[in-house]
Amino acid sequence: MSHPTPTTSPGPAATAPHTPDQPPSWAPAAPTIALLTALGVLMVGQMYTVLALLHPMATALGTAPEQVTWTATAFGFAYAAGFLLAGPLSDRYGSRAVITTGLVAATAATLAVSAAPDLPTAIVLRSLQGLTAATFAPSALSYVVHHIAPQRRGTALTVRIDRGIARRSDSCSD
């Protein structure tokens, strides 16, 4: 005895191929936006947090505060250069993989900076920290575009963009 075959076709999610532009299901907007925003503040905050620590760092490294400012400059240059690398990496390996790898690498770099024995080492490690922190923003924007439902993307992008603008304007007003 044969079983009858169904006459209805499966839903579009079952038959449509999975592409980066149309994932099988959208990520939950509110938790994703909250997580990306919190991580964005932490990653960008690494650029500015060091400014309050210049004197303690100079004391710990046995140098002048004016020389320790090179750690902030090195981070900034590496952060800018990292943006050029992070976009293509995100396209090639996926935004989630680049975000995760970047967060782990930035955490390791941050721990290494705190253990730097001298100023040249601290400058090199701050460069590495900037490079790894830079992986977040381009990858997060890519993640939003590919994994957040179109009707929620405006909110997600606004929250992400507003955090970066707020950080930059805070630093300019000092």
Side-chain angles (χ1 to χ4, degrees):
M1 168 173 229
S2 68
H3 296 292
T5 58
T7 57
T8 60
S9 64
T15 59
H18 169 68
T19 64
D21 293 329
Q22 297 174 339
S25 63
W26 298 110
T32 302
I33 292 169
L35 178 63
L36 291 176
T37 300
L39 291 172
V41 169
L42 289 172
M43 295 301 266
V44 172
Q46 291 184 34
M47 186 179 317
Y48 303 108
T49 303
V50 72
L51 298 177
L53 300 173
L54 291 177
H55 287 285
M57 285 175 62
T59 302
L61 297 172
T63 189
E66 297 80 27
Q67 292 175 322
V68 178
T69 58
W70 279 105
T71 62
T73 303
F75 182 100
F77 282 133
Y79 188 75
F83 270 66
L84 300 174
L85 301 172
L89 286 174
S90 186
D91 290 342
R92 184 172 185 150
Y93 298 108
S95 53
R96 185 180 295 183
V98 174
I99 288 171
T100 304
T101 303
L103 289 171
V104 170
T107 301
T110 301
L111 292 171
V113 168
S114 70
D118 54 31
L119 184 60
T121 304
I123 291 170
V124 169
L125 291 172
R126 280 286 288 166
S127 297
L128 180 63
Q129 187 184 32
L131 193 63
T132 58
T135 61
F136 181 77
S139 301
L141 292 174
S142 176
Y143 186 86
V144 166
V145 168
H146 292 113
H147 296 281
I148 299 291
Q151 66 270 23
R152 301 284 183 230
R153 284 185 198 149
T155 302
L157 293 173
T158 301
V159 170
R160 283 286 313 124
I161 292 169
D162 283 349
R163 295 297 170 236
I165 291 170
R167 287 286 180 193
R168 280 195 303 267
S169 65
D170 288 348
S171 67
C172 291
S173 65
D174 292 337

